[in-house]
Amino acid sequence: MAESDDALVAAVAAGDAAACRRLVDRHLGRLLAFAQRMLGSRADAEDVAQDAFLALWKEAGRWRPDGSATVSTWLTRVTYNRAIDRLRRQPSVALDAVPEPPDPGAGAEAGLQRARVSRRVAEALAQLPERQRAAILLSHYEGQGNREIGEALGVGVEAVESLLARGRRALRQALAAERADLMGEV
């Protein structure tokens, strides 16, 4: 049976590098995806995720599994904070620099349309205030619930609901003029 995150953090606090590797294996993919969507850069996302795991290594001895937060939520919170710090240091992020992954199953035209829609949605997301963007990314791309999002962002569930509603409304408005074209409607 797999060890719990809390047990692994306790082992990390005792200096167990293998336990730290198991936590990295368990959470790195999700944190990288979240950070890359926040930052628009794979290299920056890797730096942010590395910082999050370095913080875990340094702070493992202070972790108390009291049920108020999970290790996963704490790592998401650290990743979010590091991403916001990086965004504030960088005046703008060139979203065009983010390569679209190839889709071997789709035709060229469908792939181009999908890439264009993804690019426009990413551009619209990038224009949202940081907390609205993070709430939408955590909800729609990471599949997290409002409670988890609230813990990661340091706000209550009602605030998360408000962030999501305002972010979705802003996205609809930003993309409204292009809706038919983006949806492939004639």
Side-chain angles (χ1 to χ4, degrees), residues 3-162:
E3 291 176 282
S4 72
D5 284 351
D6 290 332
L8 289 172
V9 171
V12 170
D16 185 346
C20 192
R21 278 192 299 278
R22 285 194 298 276
L23 282 168
V24 169
D25 290 343
R26 193 174 286 178
H27 297 286
L28 180 61
R30 180 182 57 79
L31 295 177
L32 270 175
F34 173 61
Q36 185 168 352
R37 287 184 185 111
M38 282 292 295
L39 298 167
S41 163
R42 177 71 177 192
D44 287 344
E46 289 171 354
D47 289 345
V48 163
Q50 181 177 342
D51 287 349
F53 285 107
L54 184 59
L56 173 70
W57 181 260
K58 290 179 179 178
E59 300 295 325
R62 296 176 55 192
W63 177 255
R64 299 291 175 255
D66 60 6
S68 65
T70 63
V71 173
S72 175
T73 301
W74 182 84
L75 283 167
T76 301
R77 173 77 181 189
V78 173
T79 302
Y80 169 74
N81 288 339
R82 297 299 197 279
I84 294 304
D85 290 345
R86 190 168 285 259
L87 284 171
R88 289 181 180 154
R89 285 193 308 258
Q90 298 173 344
S92 64
V93 176
L95 290 175
D96 293 337
V98 178
E100 291 294 326
D103 183 1
E109 188 174 319
L112 288 172
Q113 174 66 9
R114 196 169 23 262
R116 195 168 65 76
V117 170
S118 293
R119 186 174 52 253
R120 275 301 296 131
V121 170
E123 289 168 356
L125 276 167
Q127 299 305 309
L128 292 177
E130 295 161 350
R131 287 170 34 151
Q132 287 178 19
R133 181 177 352 136
I136 287 176
L137 292 174
L138 290 170
S139 175
H140 294 282
Y141 289 92
E142 301 298 322
Q144 292 189 7
N146 291 357
R147 188 178 137 271
E148 291 174 302
I149 295 167
E151 290 172 4
L153 301 182
V155 299
V157 172
E158 296 81 15
V160 170
E161 291 169 356
S162 177

